[in-house]
Amino acid sequence: MRTLSTVLLLVASAAWSADVDETVRSSYGAFMQGRYEDSASGWRYLAGLSVSGPRPEANEALALREDGKYEAALPLWIKASILEGADGFIWNQRAWTALSLGRLSDARSGFEKALDRSASTATQAEAQLGMGLVALVDEKPRAALEPLRRAAIAGPYAIAAAAQLTAETALSVGDKQTALTYFRQALDVDALNLEALRGLMLLLDRIGDNRAAWRAARRLLALDPADLDALKVLKHNQGFVIGDADAASGARRLSRPVLDGESTSPSLPISKRSIRVGLYGAPDGRPATMTRCYIIANAPFKVTSTAYGTLRDNGRAFDQWEVEFRPETGVVEVRDAARNILFVAKQPFTFVPDSPRGSVLIKSAKISEPLGVDVGDREERGDVSVIPNPWGFRLVQDVALELYLYGVVSMALPEGSPPEAYKAQAVASRTAATWSVGHRPNTLEGFDVLDDTSLQRTIGLSGELRAAADGVDATASLVLAEDGQVARVAQHEDSGGITENGRESGESGMERLVSASDSVKPFAGWGTPLDLERFAREAPAEGLFSEAAPTPSPASLRWVRVIAAQKLRERVSRRKDIGALRRVRVASRTSTGRVTALEIIGSRGSFLCTGREEIASVLSPGSLRSTLFVLQPLYDGKDLTRLLIWGAGTGAGLGMPRAGAVGQAALGRSWKEVLMTYFPRCAVRDLDHAHEAAPSAKAGRGPHKRTLNFRRPKK
C-alpha cells in the first residue's frame, strides 16, 4: 500500500509537470503573438525551476533577441552553448548575437565552434556565412571570400546568399569580372534574389554593357516598379536599345501559328463550358491596355461584332492583320498586310477562326504600361475579342474550358512530372477556373480570369505539354466541391513543410482552407521558439513530399536573403519616413509560423506592415518567397546595417503546394489521394452530372450565383 507521503509526492509531481507544460504553451503563444517580454518571463521561470527539456535559456534568448535586447540575450546563449548537447546551431546563434553587438572576436570564435559541432551541412553553411560577414564588418573583404565560398559549397540553401555576398565583396576590392560571375550565379540559383539582381544591374551599367543593364533594369522594375536605381539605369541606357525593345529584353517571339487547324488528331475533349481569359494580365488586375498588335489565325476566320454583326467574313489562314489604336480619333483601325484599312471600330469585335482547332496568334503587342506584364507573343485557342477603351484596347480570349486547362496545367508543373500529378493539378486548376467563372469581376471586358499568376498562369499553345493535356482529358469535368458548391481552392509552389490555415492567413475568402502536413511523417508544428528557428534555418526533415519530386527546387524549399538596411529604408520611406533603421521585429505569426505583421522601428518613429503583400512590398517587392521566415538583424552601434532572412517555402502556403503534389505522385499516390491531403473537406464531383454526385446545391456568393452545373455550353 502506498504511504501518504508517496501519494503526496505523486500529486505534487503531476502538478509540477502540468505547470511546466502550461508555462511552455503560454510562453510559446506569447512569442507567436509578438509579446516577447511575456515570453521571456515564462522561459526565465522555467529556468528557475531547473527545467532542461525545452531549453529555457535558448528560448528566452530568442525572445530577447526578437525584442532587440541583445545584451541580455548573449549571456543566455553562452549558457545554452556550454550545456550538454549544445550543437552547432546553438553556437551559431551565440555568434550572431555577438556579431550584432560588435564583438567580432567572440563572433568569429563562436562560428568556428559551430563548425566543430555541426551535424548538418546547413548549419555549417550558416557558420561559414557568418564568418564571411564577420570579416566584412571587420573591413577585411579579402578574408571574407574564402568562408563565403565554403558557405556555398556546404549547403544548397545558402548558395544564392553566399554568391551575392561574394559578388559584393569582389566588387569592393575592384574585381568586376568575379563580381559579374557571382551575381549571375546567385540569380541562376534563385531568380528572385532581388539584391543580386540590383547588384548585377548596377555593375553592368557601370562597365558600360548598356543593353544588358537595360534588360536587368526592366527585370527589376517588373518586381519593384518604384525602384529608383532601376528607373535611373533604364533611362540612362534606353537610347542604346534599337528596334523592338520587348524583343531586346528577351520577350517571346513567334513567327506563325503552330496549331494545325485542319488536323483531326489527337481528338479534342468534349467541353460543355467556356471561359473568358483576359490576355496580358497586368498588375492592376485587368488585361493590359495596348495600342497595337498583329493577329494571325491558323484557319479561315471572320470578324464579328455584337453591335454590328459580321464585319469581315473573308479572313484567310495565316494572313497577318494589324490592329492599331488611333489616339487622334479614338478608334481602332484594322489593316491587312499591305496596310489597307479593312474596318474601324469603337465597339468590341472578335476574331473567330472557322475550325474546332482554331487559334489566334497575337504578335508584337505594344503595351502602354509593360512593367509587370508578360509581353511575349502567344497563340491562343478559340476566339479573341478586341475591346476598345479611351486609351487603346484590351484582348480577351473565349475558349473551351478544357482547352484552356491544357496551357494552365502545363505551366503549373515542371516538365516530366508524374501523370497522377498532372491529373491532380488538372482538377485543382479546373476548380479554380470554374469558381472564378461564377465570381467574375464586373468589368467592361467581362473576363473570368487573367492569364498571369494572379490565379494560374498560361501563355497559350507554346506552353502546352502533351502529358499535361492527357491529365486534363483523364479528369474531364471533375472539380472539388464543398457543401454542394464548387470549392474555393488555392495553390502555391512549395509549402516548406506545412500549409497555412485559411482562417489565420488574413486572405479574404480562404477561411475554409485547413492546414495540412506536407510530409510523409505527420508534422505537428512547433512547441517552442527554438523549434521554429531550427525549422527555418536548418535543412528540412526527411520525408517532405517536395523532396520526392523528380526535380526538387532547393531555392523554393529553403532560402536565405541578405538585405542592405539602406534599401530597406528606401522602401519603408515610400510609406513613412521613420529615419535611420534601428530594429525590425515580427509583431505576430500564425500557428504555422508565417508572419502576419512586421514592425520596423526607426530613429523618428515606426511602421507596422500587416498582411503578406505589404510585408513583401517592404522586405522584397515581388520577390519575397514566403512569409514563413525568421530574422537575424545585424547592427553598427544602434543602426541596422543588414537584415538576414531565413525562410521556408514559396508562395502563400494556402491550399495545394504543387511541389508536394508532384512528390506525392512520384511516391505512387493517386491524384485523389494527393488532393485529399490538401483539401480534406472537399469531395470530387462531376460538373456534367452534379445532380447525381452532390447533395442539394446552394448558390455561391458573387455577382453570378451558380450551383455546380452552371456554365453555358460552348457553341
Short mmCIF file of all heavy atoms in Angstrom, two decimals, residues 22 24 79 121 248 291 313 315 381 386 398 470 476 484 500 522 536 573 596 620 647 662 677 691:
data_model
loop_
_atom_site.label_atom_id
_atom_site.label_comp_id
_atom_site.label_asym_id
_atom_site.label_seq_id
_atom_site.Cartn_x
_atom_site.Cartn_y
_atom_site.Cartn_z
N GLU A 22 2.01 24.00 -19.07
CA GLU A 22 1.21 25.20 -19.29
C GLU A 22 2.11 26.42 -19.51
O GLU A 22 1.82 27.28 -20.36
CB GLU A 22 0.29 25.45 -18.09
CG GLU A 22 -0.55 26.72 -18.18
CD GLU A 22 -1.40 26.77 -19.43
OE1 GLU A 22 -1.84 25.70 -19.90
OE2 GLU A 22 -1.62 27.89 -19.95
N VAL A 24 5.15 26.37 -20.80
CA VAL A 24 5.72 26.23 -22.14
C VAL A 24 4.71 26.70 -23.19
O VAL A 24 5.04 27.48 -24.11
CB VAL A 24 6.14 24.78 -22.41
CG1 VAL A 24 6.48 24.58 -23.89
CG2 VAL A 24 7.34 24.40 -21.55
N LYS A 79 25.35 30.49 -21.91
CA LYS A 79 24.97 29.40 -21.01
C LYS A 79 24.43 28.22 -21.79
O LYS A 79 24.77 27.06 -21.51
CB LYS A 79 23.94 29.90 -20.01
CG LYS A 79 23.55 28.84 -18.99
CD LYS A 79 22.58 29.40 -17.94
CE LYS A 79 22.21 28.31 -16.92
NZ LYS A 79 21.27 28.83 -15.89
N THR A 121 24.95 20.02 -42.99
CA THR A 121 25.59 20.95 -43.92
C THR A 121 24.95 22.33 -43.84
O THR A 121 25.63 23.34 -44.06
CB THR A 121 25.48 20.42 -45.36
OG1 THR A 121 24.10 20.19 -45.68
CG2 THR A 121 26.25 19.12 -45.51
N ALA A 248 14.32 42.87 -77.47
CA ALA A 248 15.64 43.07 -76.88
C ALA A 248 15.69 42.62 -75.43
O ALA A 248 16.75 42.23 -74.92
CB ALA A 248 16.04 44.54 -76.99
N THR A 291 -1.78 49.46 -77.61
CA THR A 291 -2.10 50.38 -78.70
C THR A 291 -1.89 49.76 -80.07
O THR A 291 -2.33 50.33 -81.08
CB THR A 291 -1.23 51.65 -78.60
OG1 THR A 291 0.16 51.28 -78.58
CG2 THR A 291 -1.56 52.41 -77.31
N ASP A 313 -15.85 38.58 -93.40
CA ASP A 313 -16.04 37.13 -93.43
C ASP A 313 -15.08 36.45 -94.39
O ASP A 313 -15.28 35.30 -94.77
CB ASP A 313 -17.48 36.78 -93.80
CG ASP A 313 -17.87 37.29 -95.19
OD1 ASP A 313 -17.00 37.89 -95.86
OD2 ASP A 313 -19.03 37.08 -95.59
N GLY A 315 -11.49 36.41 -93.97
CA GLY A 315 -10.14 36.25 -93.44
C GLY A 315 -9.55 34.92 -93.83
O GLY A 315 -10.20 33.87 -93.72
N ARG A 381 -5.96 29.33 -78.33
CA ARG A 381 -7.07 28.57 -78.90
C ARG A 381 -8.36 29.38 -78.81
O ARG A 381 -8.52 30.22 -77.93
CB ARG A 381 -7.25 27.26 -78.14
CG ARG A 381 -6.07 26.28 -78.25
CD ARG A 381 -6.34 25.06 -77.41
NE ARG A 381 -5.25 24.10 -77.41
CZ ARG A 381 -5.14 23.07 -78.25
NH1 ARG A 381 -6.06 22.90 -79.20
NH2 ARG A 381 -4.13 22.23 -78.16
N VAL A 386 -11.32 41.99 -79.29
CA VAL A 386 -10.64 43.26 -79.11
C VAL A 386 -11.65 44.23 -78.49
O VAL A 386 -12.71 44.47 -79.07
CB VAL A 386 -10.11 43.81 -80.44
CG1 VAL A 386 -9.45 45.17 -80.24
CG2 VAL A 386 -9.15 42.83 -81.08
N ASP A 398 -11.97 33.78 -75.65
CA ASP A 398 -13.11 32.94 -75.28
C ASP A 398 -12.82 31.53 -75.79
O ASP A 398 -12.70 31.31 -77.00
CB ASP A 398 -14.41 33.47 -75.90
CG ASP A 398 -15.65 32.89 -75.22
OD1 ASP A 398 -15.75 31.66 -75.15
OD2 ASP A 398 -16.48 33.67 -74.73
N ASP A 470 -3.03 15.22 -71.38
CA ASP A 470 -3.56 13.89 -71.03
C ASP A 470 -4.17 13.91 -69.63
O ASP A 470 -5.20 13.28 -69.37
CB ASP A 470 -2.46 12.84 -71.09
CG ASP A 470 -2.01 12.56 -72.52
OD1 ASP A 470 -2.76 12.90 -73.46
OD2 ASP A 470 -0.91 12.01 -72.70
N ALA A 476 -11.68 14.91 -67.11
CA ALA A 476 -12.61 15.84 -67.74
C ALA A 476 -13.83 16.12 -66.87
O ALA A 476 -14.47 15.18 -66.37
CB ALA A 476 -13.05 15.31 -69.10
N GLY A 484 -21.85 21.00 -51.70
CA GLY A 484 -22.62 21.05 -52.93
C GLY A 484 -22.25 22.18 -53.87
O GLY A 484 -22.91 22.37 -54.89
N GLU A 500 -0.81 26.53 -44.86
CA GLU A 500 -1.36 27.54 -43.98
C GLU A 500 -2.83 27.27 -43.65
O GLU A 500 -3.56 26.67 -44.43
CB GLU A 500 -1.22 28.92 -44.64
CG GLU A 500 -1.75 30.10 -43.84
CD GLU A 500 -1.04 30.26 -42.51
OE1 GLU A 500 -1.23 29.42 -41.63
OE2 GLU A 500 -0.30 31.25 -42.36
N PRO A 522 3.65 12.81 -40.27
CA PRO A 522 2.80 13.92 -39.80
C PRO A 522 3.62 14.96 -39.07
O PRO A 522 4.47 14.65 -38.24
CB PRO A 522 1.81 13.22 -38.86
CG PRO A 522 1.78 11.80 -39.31
CD PRO A 522 3.18 11.50 -39.79
N ALA A 536 13.38 26.87 -39.81
CA ALA A 536 13.66 27.81 -40.90
C ALA A 536 15.12 27.81 -41.32
O ALA A 536 15.44 28.01 -42.50
CB ALA A 536 13.24 29.22 -40.49
N SER A 573 10.41 54.24 -46.61
CA SER A 573 10.19 55.67 -46.79
C SER A 573 9.13 55.98 -47.83
O SER A 573 8.58 57.09 -47.85
CB SER A 573 11.51 56.37 -47.16
OG SER A 573 12.45 56.24 -46.12
N THR A 596 2.43 37.58 -39.96
CA THR A 596 1.26 38.35 -40.36
C THR A 596 1.43 39.84 -40.11
O THR A 596 0.66 40.65 -40.64
CB THR A 596 0.00 37.86 -39.62
OG1 THR A 596 0.24 37.91 -38.21
CG2 THR A 596 -0.33 36.43 -40.02
N SER A 620 10.97 42.73 -49.74
CA SER A 620 11.48 42.34 -51.05
C SER A 620 10.35 42.34 -52.06
O SER A 620 9.73 41.32 -52.32
CB SER A 620 12.12 40.94 -50.96
OG SER A 620 12.80 40.61 -52.14
N GLY A 647 14.22 31.55 -44.69
CA GLY A 647 12.83 31.26 -44.98
C GLY A 647 12.61 29.85 -45.49
O GLY A 647 13.54 29.15 -45.90
N VAL A 662 3.53 16.94 -56.81
CA VAL A 662 4.43 16.16 -57.69
C VAL A 662 5.14 15.09 -56.87
O VAL A 662 5.28 13.94 -57.31
CB VAL A 662 5.44 17.10 -58.38
CG1 VAL A 662 6.48 16.29 -59.14
CG2 VAL A 662 4.72 18.05 -59.32
N THR A 677 -5.18 15.19 -49.46
CA THR A 677 -4.18 15.61 -48.47
C THR A 677 -4.33 17.09 -48.16
O THR A 677 -4.25 17.51 -47.00
CB THR A 677 -2.76 15.33 -48.99
OG1 THR A 677 -2.60 13.93 -49.22
CG2 THR A 677 -1.71 15.80 -47.98
N HIS A 691 -26.08 16.59 -60.40
CA HIS A 691 -27.30 16.17 -59.71
C HIS A 691 -27.21 14.75 -59.18
O HIS A 691 -27.92 14.37 -58.26
CB HIS A 691 -28.49 16.28 -60.66
CG HIS A 691 -28.37 15.42 -61.89
ND1 HIS A 691 -27.55 15.76 -62.93
CD2 HIS A 691 -28.95 14.23 -62.22
CE1 HIS A 691 -27.64 14.82 -63.89
NE2 HIS A 691 -28.47 13.88 -63.48
#
